[in-house]
Amino acid sequence: MMAAKQILEVFVNLNIMLVLGCLIWLGLQALAAKSALRHAFILQLAALKTVLVLILLSPVLAIAATHAVELFSPGRSLVLSDMVVAAYLRGDIAMDAIRFEEVLNARENWTERFLLMNTKGPAIVAVLLAAGMMVAILRLARSALQLHRLLADSYRWKRVGPVDIRLSDRIAVPMATRGVFRRHVLLPSDLISDSDRRRIAIAHELQHFRQSDLEWEIVFELMRPFFFWNPAFTLLKLRFNRLRELACDQAVVSRYRVAPLDYARCLLHFCERSVGLAQAQRLNVALLSAGRKDARQELANRLLSLKSTASQLSAPRRHLIALACVMGTFLSFAGASLEAPKDWSHDRLMLSTVVNLERLRADR
């Protein structure tokens, strides 16, 4: 029971931190949009990856922050509920003591009811979460199976280091994927006779490997069964997909000296081919998102972004280190504040005494 309660609390805290991290990221992006970094998509993508890593590490960072405070400031608590109790006892919060205790213990009471399943509400929530997780896992398994069959039916044309360039008659848009040991770039078979588009497509997919976009795609899909219901997860995934493609376009045009007009024509060509076609949407990164209703809008955004040339082709490390330090510190203390109190503090004993006195007075 205790282990299940701890797991549930970590799960809830991670979802809260995901929402908090998403809000912070939206604020950072709004600031970037009004600065000289508004077209620095490579830097923005690196910053978003930094935020995501810190969110995933927030439980560990919270433990580190708690131990640091205990070491340098014994007796001081970072737990938000302890701070609220102290504020109540100082008279900063005007509320009936019994009502205040109910609000203070609402999360703990809900957690216990959820684990005991003694009411309909928690049972329904548990069933919905389990069903959503199962659907996400089955979709992930189906995409993995589709990609496995696609690779099995393709033909290896070239090998470039750890990357296999493969040809397939079953796809209309180039894509990149990976197995356990090898990485794969899949090209439509008819692209073999079009050297210009083939060069752009291969350069684009290889850039995804350089950006570790496949690894991040896998991370997102492994997170999906646990966070599918959280709007912050969906929003961050959409923003990540957009920045991933804009950063890739920017790097290919700049590093490989591809003319923006040729690159735009290549994107338009594959967009026309992809309309109405279905293609695996998970565990791969395609040149364009085939079969999606917003494919044309996505293309328009990417074409417009080609007009702008960012001054940074690689993210300045000092900027990312500064962001990681500030965000890491903030999320560490935010995560620590969400933890449940370890024991009964002096303030909590005083609150309990006040509550008991009020109940005695009410019984008379």
Side-chain angles (χ1 to χ4, degrees), residues 81-94:
S81 59
D82 286 343
M83 298 178 189
V84 173
V85 169
Y88 179 81
L89 294 176
R90 290 195 305 267
D92 297 337
I93 299 175

Side-chain angles (χ1 to χ4, degrees), residues 102-113:
E102 290 176 353
V103 173
L104 187 69
N105 297 330
R107 175 175 166 178
E108 183 178 356
N109 294 335
W110 181 89
T111 301
E112 291 179 355
R113 288 199 300 270

Side-chain angles (χ1 to χ4, degrees), residues 179-335:
V180 178
F181 302 107
R182 299 289 300 176
R183 299 178 177 185
H184 309 279
V185 172
L186 280 166
L187 303 175
S189 298
D190 58 356
L191 207 59
I192 195 71
S193 60
D194 191 337
S195 60
D196 292 335
R197 289 193 181 117
R198 185 179 69 243
R199 182 175 72 90
I200 293 174
I202 292 176
H204 181 95
E205 302 307 330
L206 290 179
Q207 180 60 31
H208 279 307
F209 289 131
R210 292 188 181 92
Q211 295 177 179
S212 300
D213 290 337
L214 265 297
E215 288 73 15
W216 275 100
E217 179 69 16
I218 293 171
V219 168
F220 271 110
E221 292 309 319
L222 292 177
M223 291 172 61
R224 189 181 296 277
F226 304 99
F227 302 106
F228 69 91
W229 61 278
N230 193 326
F233 172 81
T234 303
L235 181 58
L236 285 173
K237 181 65 167 67
L238 291 174
R239 295 299 177 98
F240 186 91
N241 288 352
R242 177 180 178 272
L243 279 178
R244 178 186 69 195
E245 296 305 325
L246 292 174
C248 191
D249 294 342
Q250 194 174 78
V252 171
V253 169
S254 302
R255 286 197 174 111
Y256 295 93
R257 297 182 180 179
V258 177
L261 183 58
D262 293 338
Y263 194 86
R265 286 172 176 167
C266 182
L267 291 178
L268 183 59
H269 169 76
F270 286 112
C271 183
E272 292 173 347
R273 293 183 57 167
S274 69
V275 174
L277 295 178
Q279 190 164 294
Q281 298 291 334
R282 294 175 173 83
L283 301 177
N284 71 89
V285 179
L287 183 66
L288 280 165
S289 299
R292 280 176 43 180
K293 294 181 179 180
D294 60 346
R296 290 186 180 275
Q297 183 61 45
E298 176 190 339
L299 175 65
N301 293 335
R302 292 172 67 177
L303 294 179
L304 290 173
S305 70
L306 291 176
K307 292 182 177 181
S308 307
T309 304
S311 58
Q312 302 99 327
L313 285 182
S314 61
R317 289 187 178 181
R318 63 182 183 276
H319 293 169
L320 295 179
I321 292 174
L323 175 65
C325 290
V326 174
M327 282 288 299
T329 302
F330 178 80
L331 292 178
S332 297
F333 286 95

